Amino acid sequence: MSAKIIDGKKFAAHLADNIKGEILQWVTDGHRAPGLAVVIVGDDPASQVYVSKKIKMCEQVGISSSLHRFSADTGQQELIELIDQLNQDPKIDGILVQLPLPGGLNEEQITERIDPKKDVDGLHPYNLGRLAAQSPLLRPCTPRGVMTLLENINVDLAGAHAVVIGASNLVGRPMALELLRARCTVTICHSRTRDLPKQVGQADILVVAVGQAGLIKGEWIKPGSVVIDVGTNRSEAGHLIGDVEFEAARHRAAWITPVPGGVGPMTVITLMQNTLQAARNLS
Ligand code: NAP
């Protein structure tokens, strides 16, 4: 068997065209363009790349973006004051603070300071709680992007056994909640999980979000399954690679996402969807 490739890059480009059209209509109807404020602290190279992709996509689809750059030694209070100001700004519909923040800053306090109505990353406890309570408003971008990919390949989720590897607030936990909401039977694995190969072998739908290159061996994959690799790691040669042994896994899975070009572009496009959603909700 050779898996079909889930081309997130191509699908995200298609969605970008749709959102561009929706925003054009929104503006034609007399609204201002949705506004997204992006906050970046420090000079982590990966964060710089992610932020520039987000800003570029805003330009492409017609979202008005503003970038707030801070040095790594910025104090907590300065960021809190900026968030308060953005919360009050009537031209801003979405606020995104690029994570992780440099050590010394309290991420939790900053995330919770964002007005949940402008929380386009969907990471405020209010929005995570809404997802847990099965009435989501703004949903975390990467898990929502994965759900959009799964819907697009028409896989039958109800009753499927979904195994999520990784339990972070950013990806693993909300991913498990999304899959549960789609009526999967969900197993969540983390660093203390016993017998990872056995858990992986049970997965009809496998979502991996750990950040360890090649952690998931191809031979563990259940034949005919759907494999979604969220992990992004740098190989020794400097290439972007996932958490799953792609070449071995593609001979067992029915569907598989590549890295790069799988989940990453979906995260960015989902941020655009969330920003438009926030603008609609706020108007
Ligand atoms: P994180 O906060 O470091 O969480 C990693 C999770 O993996 C934790 O729950 C950890 O368990 C678990 N884990 C660690 N070692 C494990 C092992 N040996 N077996 C099973 N689970 C293990 O990372 P994150 O922020 O969720 O990100 C995960 C990966 O996704 C990273 O590579 C990141 O770059 C990538 N990512 C990609 C996108 C995208 O758009 N493509 C978006 C976000 C993140 P404990 O809870 O026990 O510590």
Side-chain angles (χ1 to χ4, degrees):
M1 181 186 285
S2 189
K4 290 187 196 147
I5 304 298
I6 304 176
D7 189 340
K9 192 175 172 191
K10 193 170 163 194
F11 188 44
H14 165 72
L15 292 175
D17 286 343
N18 289 353
I19 296 169
K20 187 176 176 180
E22 283 183 58
I23 291 175
L24 202 59
Q25 187 61 54
W26 177 249
V27 173
T28 309
D29 290 346
H31 303 281
R32 59 164 174 74
L36 174 67
V38 178
V39 182
I40 181 163
V41 187
D43 43 22
D44 173 59
S47 293
Q48 304 287 339
V49 172
Y50 296 143
V51 160
S52 76
K53 284 187 175 168
K54 289 167 185 175
I55 298 284
K56 214 169 137 198
M57 185 55 78
C58 282
E59 282 165 20
Q60 194 180 322
V61 301
I63 288 174
S64 150
S65 66
S66 59
L67 181 57
H68 302 263
R69 269 185 196 283
F70 290 89
S71 61
D73 59 0
T74 302
Q76 183 83 5
Q77 191 51 34
E78 199 176 334
L79 290 175
I80 291 289
E81 280 165 22
L82 172 71
I83 301 289
D84 287 346
Q85 188 194 316
L86 295 170
N87 282 339
Q88 296 303 322
D89 187 336
K91 290 201 191 72
I92 295 296
D93 303 296
I95 302 168
L96 175 118
V97 177
Q98 185 65 39
L99 301 178
L101 291 171
L105 290 168
N106 181 339
E107 257 178 38
E108 195 176 292
Q109 190 192 33
I110 288 168
T111 303
E112 291 190 24
R113 195 75 175 203
I114 297 172
D115 180 343
K117 293 195 189 75
K118 297 189 177 188
D119 169 40
V120 284
D121 232 357
L123 298 176
H124 189 289
Y126 176 79
N127 282 314
L128 287 175
R130 293 288 304 224
L131 179 60
Q134 306 182 62
S135 53
L137 289 173
L138 292 167
R139 296 153 61 191
C141 292
T142 302
R144 182 181 170 188
V146 169
M147 295 312 290
T148 311
L149 278 183
L150 291 173
E151 283 153 22
N152 187 52
I153 62 168
N154 254 327
V155 59
D156 200 0
L157 293 175
H161 191 162
V163 177
V164 180
I165 318 287
S168 70
N169 289 347
L170 181 65
V171 189
R173 277 166 208 256
M175 189 70 249
L177 290 170
E178 288 280 2
L179 291 161
L180 186 59
R181 199 171 148 251
R183 314 295 291 137
C184 292
T185 300
V186 182
T187 300
I188 310 172
C189 302
H190 45 77
S191 65
R192 304 297 295 271
T193 295
R194 295 189 188 126
D195 204 347
L196 196 60
K198 184 178 164 202
Q199 302 295 343
V200 170
Q202 292 175 350
D204 301 311
I205 314 283
L206 179 70
V207 183
V208 188
V210 173
Q212 287 179 30
L215 173 71
I216 306 299
K217 308 297 171 212
E219 75 225 35
W220 300 351
I221 305 286
K222 181 175 176 178
S225 59
V226 178
V227 176
I228 307 287
D229 192 351
V230 181
T232 49
N233 313 284
R234 287 270 162 210
S235 71
E236 277 175 18
H239 300 303
L240 207 57
I241 52 171
D243 289 347
V244 178
E245 281 185 347
F246 181 80
E247 277 310 321
R250 69 184 294 189
H251 294 300
R252 292 175 73 90
W255 292 92
I256 190 165
T257 57
V259 178
V263 175
M266 294 303 295
T267 298
V268 177
I269 205 65
T270 307
L271 175 67
M272 305 298 118
Q273 292 175 325
N274 279 357
T275 304
L276 177 57
Q277 185 184 337
R280 287 193 165 124
N281 292 346
L282 284 163
S283 77

Short mmCIF file of all heavy atoms in Angstrom, two decimals, residues 78-110:
data_model
loop_
_atom_site.label_atom_id
_atom_site.label_comp_id
_atom_site.label_asym_id
_atom_site.label_seq_id
_atom_site.Cartn_x
_atom_site.Cartn_y
_atom_site.Cartn_z
N GLU A 78 4.69 45.51 30.51
CA GLU A 78 4.63 46.19 29.21
C GLU A 78 3.73 45.41 28.24
O GLU A 78 2.93 45.99 27.51
CB GLU A 78 6.05 46.30 28.65
CG GLU A 78 6.17 47.37 27.58
CD GLU A 78 7.61 47.53 27.09
OE1 GLU A 78 8.56 47.23 27.85
OE2 GLU A 78 7.76 47.96 25.95
N LEU A 79 3.84 44.09 28.28
CA LEU A 79 3.02 43.26 27.39
C LEU A 79 1.54 43.30 27.82
O LEU A 79 0.64 43.38 26.99
CB LEU A 79 3.52 41.81 27.40
CG LEU A 79 4.86 41.60 26.72
CD1 LEU A 79 5.34 40.18 26.88
CD2 LEU A 79 4.78 41.95 25.23
N ILE A 80 1.34 43.26 29.12
CA ILE A 80 -0.04 43.32 29.64
C ILE A 80 -0.70 44.64 29.20
O ILE A 80 -1.86 44.64 28.77
CB ILE A 80 -0.03 43.21 31.19
CG1 ILE A 80 0.40 41.80 31.61
CG2 ILE A 80 -1.36 43.60 31.81
CD1 ILE A 80 -0.62 40.71 31.35
N GLU A 81 0.07 45.72 29.27
CA GLU A 81 -0.48 47.03 28.86
C GLU A 81 -0.83 47.04 27.38
O GLU A 81 -1.87 47.58 26.97
CB GLU A 81 0.50 48.16 29.21
CG GLU A 81 0.40 48.53 30.68
CD GLU A 81 1.57 49.38 31.18
OE1 GLU A 81 2.23 50.02 30.34
OE2 GLU A 81 1.81 49.38 32.40
N LEU A 82 0.02 46.41 26.56
CA LEU A 82 -0.27 46.34 25.13
C LEU A 82 -1.56 45.53 24.90
O LEU A 82 -2.43 45.93 24.12
CB LEU A 82 0.89 45.69 24.36
CG LEU A 82 0.57 45.42 22.89
CD1 LEU A 82 0.49 46.71 22.07
CD2 LEU A 82 1.58 44.48 22.25
N ILE A 83 -1.67 44.40 25.57
CA ILE A 83 -2.87 43.54 25.40
C ILE A 83 -4.12 44.34 25.79
O ILE A 83 -5.14 44.33 25.07
CB ILE A 83 -2.78 42.25 26.27
CG1 ILE A 83 -1.55 41.43 25.93
CG2 ILE A 83 -4.07 41.42 26.15
CD1 ILE A 83 -1.54 40.72 24.62
N ASP A 84 -4.04 45.08 26.91
CA ASP A 84 -5.20 45.89 27.35
C ASP A 84 -5.58 46.90 26.27
O ASP A 84 -6.76 47.09 25.97
CB ASP A 84 -4.87 46.62 28.66
CG ASP A 84 -4.84 45.66 29.85
OD1 ASP A 84 -5.31 44.51 29.70
OD2 ASP A 84 -4.33 46.06 30.92
N GLN A 85 -4.58 47.51 25.70
CA GLN A 85 -4.80 48.53 24.66
C GLN A 85 -5.43 47.87 23.42
O GLN A 85 -6.39 48.40 22.86
CB GLN A 85 -3.43 49.12 24.35
CG GLN A 85 -3.40 50.31 23.45
CD GLN A 85 -1.93 50.51 22.98
OE1 GLN A 85 -0.98 50.42 23.78
NE2 GLN A 85 -1.75 50.75 21.71
N LEU A 86 -4.92 46.71 23.02
CA LEU A 86 -5.47 46.02 21.84
C LEU A 86 -6.89 45.52 22.11
O LEU A 86 -7.75 45.53 21.23
CB LEU A 86 -4.56 44.84 21.43
CG LEU A 86 -3.16 45.22 20.94
CD1 LEU A 86 -2.28 43.97 20.80
CD2 LEU A 86 -3.22 45.96 19.60
N ASN A 87 -7.14 45.10 23.35
CA ASN A 87 -8.50 44.66 23.72
C ASN A 87 -9.51 45.78 23.50
O ASN A 87 -10.65 45.54 23.11
CB ASN A 87 -8.56 44.23 25.19
CG ASN A 87 -7.98 42.83 25.43
OD1 ASN A 87 -7.90 42.03 24.51
ND2 ASN A 87 -7.59 42.56 26.68
N GLN A 88 -9.06 47.02 23.77
CA GLN A 88 -9.96 48.18 23.67
C GLN A 88 -10.04 48.75 22.25
O GLN A 88 -10.93 49.52 21.95
CB GLN A 88 -9.46 49.32 24.59
CG GLN A 88 -9.45 48.99 26.08
CD GLN A 88 -10.83 48.58 26.58
OE1 GLN A 88 -11.84 49.13 26.15
NE2 GLN A 88 -10.87 47.58 27.46
N ASP A 89 -9.08 48.38 21.40
CA ASP A 89 -8.97 49.02 20.07
C ASP A 89 -10.10 48.53 19.15
O ASP A 89 -10.15 47.34 18.80
CB ASP A 89 -7.59 48.67 19.48
CG ASP A 89 -7.31 49.42 18.19
OD1 ASP A 89 -8.27 49.84 17.51
OD2 ASP A 89 -6.12 49.57 17.85
N PRO A 90 -11.00 49.42 18.72
CA PRO A 90 -12.14 48.98 17.91
C PRO A 90 -11.75 48.50 16.51
O PRO A 90 -12.55 47.85 15.84
CB PRO A 90 -13.02 50.24 17.83
CG PRO A 90 -12.11 51.37 18.10
CD PRO A 90 -11.00 50.87 18.97
N LYS A 91 -10.51 48.78 16.09
CA LYS A 91 -10.09 48.32 14.74
C LYS A 91 -9.47 46.91 14.79
O LYS A 91 -9.13 46.34 13.76
CB LYS A 91 -9.07 49.30 14.15
CG LYS A 91 -9.66 50.64 13.78
CD LYS A 91 -8.75 51.31 12.75
CE LYS A 91 -9.11 52.75 12.50
NZ LYS A 91 -8.75 53.63 13.63
N ILE A 92 -9.27 46.41 15.98
CA ILE A 92 -8.62 45.10 16.14
C ILE A 92 -9.68 44.04 16.50
O ILE A 92 -10.40 44.17 17.50
CB ILE A 92 -7.53 45.15 17.25
CG1 ILE A 92 -6.39 46.09 16.84
CG2 ILE A 92 -6.99 43.76 17.59
CD1 ILE A 92 -5.59 45.65 15.62
N ASP A 93 -9.74 42.98 15.66
CA ASP A 93 -10.69 41.89 15.92
C ASP A 93 -9.99 40.67 16.52
O ASP A 93 -10.62 39.86 17.20
CB ASP A 93 -11.35 41.45 14.60
CG ASP A 93 -12.05 42.61 13.93
OD1 ASP A 93 -13.00 43.12 14.53
OD2 ASP A 93 -11.62 43.02 12.82
N GLY A 94 -8.70 40.54 16.21
CA GLY A 94 -7.97 39.37 16.68
C GLY A 94 -6.62 39.76 17.24
O GLY A 94 -5.96 40.67 16.73
N ILE A 95 -6.23 39.07 18.33
CA ILE A 95 -4.90 39.30 18.94
C ILE A 95 -4.19 37.95 18.99
O ILE A 95 -4.74 36.98 19.53
CB ILE A 95 -5.04 39.87 20.37
CG1 ILE A 95 -5.85 41.17 20.35
CG2 ILE A 95 -3.67 40.07 21.01
CD1 ILE A 95 -6.27 41.65 21.73
N LEU A 96 -3.00 37.92 18.43
CA LEU A 96 -2.22 36.69 18.48
C LEU A 96 -0.87 36.97 19.12
O LEU A 96 -0.13 37.81 18.62
CB LEU A 96 -2.01 36.16 17.05
CG LEU A 96 -1.10 34.94 17.05
CD1 LEU A 96 -1.82 33.74 16.52
CD2 LEU A 96 0.17 35.17 16.29
N VAL A 97 -0.59 36.32 20.22
CA VAL A 97 0.74 36.42 20.84
C VAL A 97 1.49 35.16 20.44
O VAL A 97 1.07 34.04 20.78
CB VAL A 97 0.64 36.54 22.37
CG1 VAL A 97 2.03 36.58 22.99
CG2 VAL A 97 -0.16 37.78 22.77
N GLN A 98 2.57 35.32 19.68
CA GLN A 98 3.31 34.15 19.19
C GLN A 98 3.99 33.45 20.37
O GLN A 98 4.76 34.06 21.11
CB GLN A 98 4.35 34.59 18.14
CG GLN A 98 5.08 33.45 17.48
CD GLN A 98 4.18 32.55 16.64
OE1 GLN A 98 3.29 33.01 15.94
NE2 GLN A 98 4.41 31.25 16.72
N LEU A 99 3.71 32.16 20.52
CA LEU A 99 4.30 31.36 21.59
C LEU A 99 5.38 30.46 21.00
O LEU A 99 5.32 30.13 19.83
CB LEU A 99 3.22 30.51 22.26
CG LEU A 99 2.04 31.30 22.87
CD1 LEU A 99 1.01 30.33 23.45
CD2 LEU A 99 2.51 32.28 23.93
N PRO A 100 6.38 30.03 21.76
CA PRO A 100 6.56 30.33 23.18
C PRO A 100 7.15 31.72 23.41
O PRO A 100 7.85 32.25 22.55
CB PRO A 100 7.57 29.24 23.61
CG PRO A 100 8.36 28.94 22.38
CD PRO A 100 7.42 29.14 21.21
N LEU A 101 6.85 32.27 24.59
CA LEU A 101 7.46 33.54 25.00
C LEU A 101 8.80 33.24 25.67
O LEU A 101 8.98 32.15 26.23
CB LEU A 101 6.53 34.27 25.98
CG LEU A 101 5.23 34.80 25.36
CD1 LEU A 101 4.28 35.29 26.46
CD2 LEU A 101 5.51 35.91 24.37
N PRO A 102 9.75 34.18 25.63
CA PRO A 102 11.03 33.95 26.29
C PRO A 102 10.83 33.66 27.79
O PRO A 102 9.85 34.12 28.39
CB PRO A 102 11.77 35.28 26.11
CG PRO A 102 11.09 35.96 24.97
CD PRO A 102 9.67 35.51 24.99
N GLY A 103 11.75 32.87 28.35
CA GLY A 103 11.69 32.53 29.77
C GLY A 103 11.60 33.80 30.61
O GLY A 103 12.13 34.84 30.24
N GLY A 104 10.90 33.69 31.72
CA GLY A 104 10.76 34.86 32.60
C GLY A 104 9.41 35.53 32.40
O GLY A 104 8.94 36.23 33.29
N LEU A 105 8.79 35.33 31.24
CA LEU A 105 7.45 35.90 31.02
C LEU A 105 6.40 34.85 31.38
O LEU A 105 6.60 33.65 31.13
CB LEU A 105 7.30 36.35 29.57
CG LEU A 105 8.12 37.57 29.18
CD1 LEU A 105 8.12 37.76 27.67
CD2 LEU A 105 7.61 38.83 29.88
N ASN A 106 5.31 35.32 31.93
CA ASN A 106 4.24 34.42 32.36
C ASN A 106 3.22 34.28 31.23
O ASN A 106 2.34 35.11 31.05
CB ASN A 106 3.60 34.99 33.63
CG ASN A 106 2.50 34.09 34.16
OD1 ASN A 106 1.94 33.27 33.46
ND2 ASN A 106 2.19 34.26 35.45
N GLU A 107 3.38 33.18 30.45
CA GLU A 107 2.53 32.95 29.26
C GLU A 107 1.06 32.84 29.62
O GLU A 107 0.19 33.35 28.92
CB GLU A 107 2.95 31.63 28.60
CG GLU A 107 3.77 31.81 27.37
CD GLU A 107 4.22 30.49 26.75
OE1 GLU A 107 3.46 29.50 26.75
OE2 GLU A 107 5.36 30.47 26.27
N GLU A 108 0.82 32.15 30.72
CA GLU A 108 -0.56 31.91 31.14
C GLU A 108 -1.28 33.24 31.40
O GLU A 108 -2.40 33.46 30.93
CB GLU A 108 -0.54 31.06 32.41
CG GLU A 108 -1.86 30.43 32.75
CD GLU A 108 -1.70 29.53 33.97
OE1 GLU A 108 -1.03 28.49 33.85
OE2 GLU A 108 -2.23 29.88 35.04
N GLN A 109 -0.60 34.12 32.12
CA GLN A 109 -1.21 35.42 32.46
C GLN A 109 -1.48 36.24 31.19
O GLN A 109 -2.53 36.86 31.06
CB GLN A 109 -0.29 36.20 33.41
CG GLN A 109 -0.98 37.41 33.99
CD GLN A 109 -0.01 38.36 34.70
OE1 GLN A 109 1.16 38.49 34.29
NE2 GLN A 109 -0.48 39.00 35.75
N ILE A 110 -0.55 36.18 30.25
CA ILE A 110 -0.72 36.96 29.01
C ILE A 110 -1.86 36.37 28.17
O ILE A 110 -2.72 37.10 27.67
CB ILE A 110 0.62 37.05 28.26
CG1 ILE A 110 1.53 38.01 29.04
CG2 ILE A 110 0.43 37.53 26.82
CD1 ILE A 110 2.95 38.03 28.66
#
